[in-house]
Amino acid sequence: MTQIEVLINSDPDLLPTLGNPGDAGYDLRAAVDIVLEAGDRALVPTGVRIAIPNGYVGLVHPRSGLAVKNGITVLNAPGTIDSGYRGEIMVPLINHSREQFSISRGDRIAQIIFQAYEQVRFIAVAELPGSQRGSQGFGSTGVK
């Protein structure tokens, strides 16, 4: 298991937690009370700073219940937290509903998933190798 150092700016209750054993996403909580008007967006602080090891990235995803039930989602989903970042994790939320939505300090607002990645080296070529799909884009595989 990879260890990640966490600095809580204010309250230990804001520590990212798993909802259930075996879950991939650790819940992030709001560090402040905030009201999102219909159509509004806000950058919500979590009170958490972390040290992600080199070779890993933190991906901030929406919480499905907030999205489906209330139209609240992460604006740039998934948000990327690079290993070199040491500032507070802030979550850009947007209210896609037609109603005001209140968030209280300690409410779960997003989840962060840690993923290993590889750095690559780009090589300029005159032509790319072929593939079955080729350059066919959006909708090219049909609906059914």
Side-chain angles (χ1 to χ4, degrees):
M1 176 180 286
T2 301
Q3 293 187 30
I4 294 181
E5 295 177 10
V6 177
L7 174 64
I8 306 299
N9 290 339
S10 52
D11 186 341
D13 290 339
L14 298 177
L15 182 72
T17 57
L18 288 176
N20 297 292
D23 285 355
Y26 291 79
D27 290 324
L28 295 171
R29 300 175 184 278
V32 297
D33 296 336
I34 191 166
V35 174
L36 280 174
E37 298 294 334
D40 275 358
R41 58 187 181 266
L43 197 55
V44 182
T46 65
V48 173
R49 296 170 54 193
I50 60 178
I52 300 173
N54 286 333
Y56 286 84
V57 63
L59 300 173
V60 179
H61 290 266
R63 295 196 69 243
S64 58
L66 278 180
V68 171
K69 296 175 185 173
N70 305 106
I72 307 299
T73 192
V74 176
L75 187 58
N76 64 328
T80 300
I81 310 293
D82 290 311
S83 62
Y85 179 67
R86 293 296 185 267
E88 181 175 6
I89 296 175
M90 307 283 279
V91 179
L93 293 180
I94 187 166
N95 182 353
H96 284 297
S97 78
R98 294 183 183 94
E99 299 175 10
Q100 180 184 83
F101 186 77
S102 295
I103 297 169
S104 298
R105 187 176 193 286
D107 285 354
R108 296 174 295 160
I109 57 169
Q111 54 188 329
I112 187 167
I113 297 172
F114 299 96
Q115 182 175 342
Y117 67 88
E118 288 188 40
Q119 291 195 329
V120 300
R121 183 172 50 93
F122 291 99
I123 301 169
V125 297
E127 188 174 315
L128 294 175
S131 72
Q132 183 177 353
R133 182 174 180 181
S135 61
Q136 294 179 5
F138 297 105
S140 63
T141 58
V143 178
K144 294 185 179 191

